[in-house]
Amino acid sequence: MQKKIAESLAQLIKSHPMRERNSRDKDAVLGAFMTLTAETINKAPFLRDNMGVKGTRALSLLQHVFDCLFATPSNPNLDLKDNEVKSPKSRGDSGLHPPKCKHPDSRKAGFQLLLALVKGNDANLEQLVKLLTKNHLNSHSDGKRPEVWNFEPPKDAEERGDGFVGLRNCGNTCYINAAL
């Protein structure tokens, strides 16, 4: 019964569309799914294996939740040299960019779910550390010199919905900061 509930919750989280444009848009439904899933795992610890790296594709959530928290927005219209970002309207897109969890409440729910997945489970913890390390070591700069890719979004980027959240101008130290 618990495994069936966990499978349903995993599917709800994975299929839930991205709705948060910036850190002020709250997707209470996604946060509730993540919180309920974390509580289910905490009450039925055997689910950690099923929903972690050893789980089936339908149940495994570790990578997906990690992406919900740490996926970086890609912006083909970003001019790294001039630190200029075109607005979503001028790019002709919806303005919805990763990560899926931008609001503090949905991010908190995502972190709680990651914690529930790795608590007492060495395989899941090892995979999470690998994911964090990979993001920390990746400059996201395509080999460009730091003075070229060292980007700080314009002050109005969040209002425009460009999807930037977290620490600014820190060369992906936010991934390690999040792990702390």
Side-chain angles (χ1 to χ4, degrees):
M1 172 86 163
Q2 292 163 323
K3 189 174 179 180
K4 199 82 156 145
I5 292 170
E7 189 172 312
S8 295
L9 288 169
Q11 187 57 38
L12 286 168
I13 290 170
K14 288 179 177 182
S15 65
H16 190 75
M18 190 180 311
R19 295 206 169 126
E20 297 178 350
R21 291 185 189 280
N22 55 49
S23 63
R24 290 184 308 277
D25 287 345
K26 182 177 179 181
D27 186 350
V29 174
L30 178 61
F33 288 158
M34 288 183 165
T35 299
L36 184 57
T37 305
E39 288 302 316
T40 302
I41 292 169
N42 287 330
K43 298 290 184 209
F46 73 91
L47 291 172
R48 285 187 178 98
D49 281 336
N50 296 330
M51 299 184 90
V53 295
K54 295 179 183 175
T56 64
R57 186 178 186 133
L59 269 174
S60 183
L61 269 180
L62 189 68
Q63 176 73 51
H64 184 79
V65 175
F66 179 85
D67 291 341
C68 285
L69 293 166
F70 298 112
T72 55
S74 62
N75 189 342
N77 295 321
L78 175 63
D79 184 345
L80 292 173
K81 197 170 197 174
D82 297 329
N83 283 354
E84 182 183 320
V85 180
K86 294 181 181 177
S87 71
K89 290 177 186 165
S90 70
R91 289 193 313 261
D93 65 20
S94 66
L96 292 174
H97 301 280
K100 193 174 189 178
C101 296
K102 295 178 184 77
H103 189 275
D105 291 348
S106 59
R107 292 186 67 75
K108 181 178 178 181
F111 282 116
Q112 287 174 336
L113 180 50
L114 278 182
L115 181 61
L117 286 165
V118 302
K119 185 178 180 183
N121 188 301
D122 292 341
N124 289 349
L125 180 59
E126 183 179 332
Q127 180 63 24
L128 180 59
V129 169
K130 284 180 183 177
L131 292 168
L132 287 167
T133 302
K134 180 180 170 187
N135 265 348
H136 180 67
L137 296 175
N138 184 0
S139 72
H140 303 285
S141 69
D142 296 325
K144 295 181 177 126
R145 296 182 324 274
E147 61 271 12
V148 173
W149 63 263
N150 199 6
F151 172 74
E152 185 169 331
K155 297 197 185 322
D156 65 341
E158 188 170 310
E159 288 84 29
R160 292 191 327 225
D162 291 333
F164 295 103
V165 297
L167 298 174
R168 294 177 183 228
N169 204 9
C170 294
N172 287 325
T173 58
C174 56
Y175 296 109
I176 297 303
N177 185 51
L180 299 175

